[in-house]
């Protein structure tokens, strides 16, 4: 449910229904370029759905990355330069052997892969 409209279904649920309707009802009637375009749009909708579903986990994993960096004085939460600071710290060898950072980066990578690659 949406916070703005407590009686309305969540945007992700609406998107999922719209996507499935396109795949089940419209795609079978199409061929050629039109079918390709519809399937491409449905794929994009699937990515957005997975992004919405994984938003909390992705934010948590990134916060863990920033937590390690801020403990080392390289970046702070909300810092727009944090990705560049991370790259610089890794390249400089300041993160070598940092198990917490490694685990957080592995989590962010797994989450990103689960968003961009369709299940199945």
């Amino acid at each position: 449910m949406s916070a703005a409209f407590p009686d309305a279904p969540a945007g992700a649920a609406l998107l999922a229904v719209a996507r499935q309707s396109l795949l089940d009802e419209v795609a079978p009637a199409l061929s050629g370029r039109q079918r390709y375009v519809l399937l491409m749009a449905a794929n994009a909708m699937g990515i957005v759905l997975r992004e919405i579903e994984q938003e909390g986990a992705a934010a948590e994993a990134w916060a863990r990355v920033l937590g390690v960096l801020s403990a080392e004085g390289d970046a702070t939460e909300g810092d727009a330069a944090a990705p560049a600071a991370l790259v610089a710290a890794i390249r400089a060898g300041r993160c070598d052997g940092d198990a917490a950072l490694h685990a957080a980066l592995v989590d962010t990578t797994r989450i990103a892969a689960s968003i961009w690659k369709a299940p199945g």
Side-chain angles (χ1 to χ4, degrees):
M1 288 217 212
S2 166
F5 302 103
D7 294 334
L14 291 172
L15 188 58
V17 168
R19 178 181 183 275
Q20 201 58 54
S21 295
L22 287 173
L23 290 172
D24 293 345
E25 310 270 333
V26 180
L30 299 176
S31 63
R33 178 141 178 87
Q34 289 179 328
R35 182 174 171 81
Y36 170 78
V37 170
L38 180 133
L39 294 175
M40 187 175 56
N43 184 55
M45 292 167 83
I47 291 169
V48 171
L49 279 168
R50 291 186 299 276
E51 199 171 62
I52 291 168
E53 292 166 352
Q54 295 291 329
E55 182 177 12
E60 181 182 307
W62 185 244
R64 287 186 11 239
V65 169
L66 291 181
V68 171
L69 288 178
S70 63
E72 296 176 7
D74 289 315
T76 59
E77 194 166 338
D79 183 354
L86 172 62
V87 170
I90 291 171
R91 286 185 177 159
R94 293 192 309 270
C95 300
D96 292 354
D98 189 326
L101 179 60
H102 179 263
L105 289 172
V106 167
D107 285 348
T108 60
T109 302
R110 284 186 182 137
I111 292 165
S114 73
I115 290 169
W116 287 95
K117 184 170 179 5

